[in-house]
Amino acid sequence: MFLLTVKKKFIRELTAISVILTVMVALIYHVFIPERYFLWFPAIPVFFYLFGLFYIYMFAFNYRLGLDKIAMTYLVCKALKFILSALVLVFYGFVVGHEVIAFFVTFLSFYFAFLIFETRFFLRFEAKLKLRKQADNEKNTVHSDIPSSSVGHSGNVKRSGK
């Protein structure tokens, strides 16, 4: 249940930031610098949106495998995103070559905006996981049915000695 709530919240926020950022950048291009607009612009938000979906599903998959895999999943996804982003930039620069500077600046703006969003979201996710784990540990400790060892001796204990 917790994971489903987190996934829904992430997808809602991812969609909102994608739409807001896309509209803002498109307005900047169309109003202020229409001569710099490039036809591949819509591919940038789509790339980051799809990668965000990949991100949350990787976290959901590894959450089921164990909580110790979450940090490694975060690092692997960040590295994969960096490599794929570099490949997209190189591909665009060498193959398409139209308004390369505008594409690079726009792509990097989206990259850093989504980097900040994802990092903030998953830091909060980690904090909530720690709080849940701590609450579960306290609940198990305080409300445990396992009898605790008593301090001192009971009257039935046989004493050795004299």
Side-chain angles (χ1 to χ4, degrees):
M1 183 69 173
F2 172 70
L3 185 60
L4 184 61
T5 305
V6 170
K7 278 174 48 175
K8 285 181 181 179
K9 183 176 180 179
F10 180 82
I11 292 172
R12 269 195 320 269
E13 289 182 16
L14 177 70
T15 303
I17 195 160
S18 296
V19 169
I20 291 169
L21 195 57
T22 302
V23 168
M24 281 179 25
V25 173
L27 283 175
I28 289 170
Y29 272 115
H30 287 295
V31 173
F32 297 110
I33 47 175
E35 68 278 359
R36 295 283 183 199
Y37 184 78
F38 49 95
L39 292 177
W40 284 68
F41 170 73
I44 295 173
V46 169
F47 172 81
F48 287 104
Y49 186 78
L50 291 176
F51 203 87
L53 292 177
F54 169 75
Y55 221 58
I56 193 65
Y57 285 105
M58 284 298 295
F59 268 88
F61 177 74
N62 283 323
Y63 180 81
R64 289 186 199 108
L65 292 179
L67 296 178
D68 57 329
K69 306 275 189 224
I70 296 292
M72 186 57 71
T73 302
Y74 180 77
L75 292 174
V76 167
C77 286
K78 287 294 176 197
L80 183 62
K81 183 178 183 180
F82 179 77
I83 293 168
L84 287 176
S85 295
L87 290 174
V88 166
L89 290 172
V90 168
F91 172 80
Y92 188 85
F94 285 116
V95 175
V96 178
H98 178 265
E99 289 295 337
V100 175
I101 300 297
F103 182 85
F104 277 36
V105 169
T106 306
F107 193 90
L108 290 176
S109 299
F110 272 84
Y111 183 87
F112 285 115
F114 279 89
L115 178 72
I116 292 167
F117 162 71
E118 292 163 350
T119 302
R120 183 188 59 83
F121 189 89
F122 287 110
L123 283 175
R124 289 187 332 199
F125 176 70
E126 278 287 322
K128 286 181 184 179
L129 279 179
K130 286 181 183 180
L131 285 175
R132 266 184 80 149
K133 188 175 180 180
Q134 183 180 13
D136 287 345
N137 287 343
E138 287 175 3
K139 188 170 139 181
N140 288 339
T141 304
V142 173
H143 301 293
S144 181
D145 290 337
I146 301 171
S148 61
S149 60
S150 59
V151 178
H153 299 288
S154 68
N156 300 345
V157 176
K158 201 177 190 183
R159 292 186 184 167
S160 62
K162 306 180 193 178

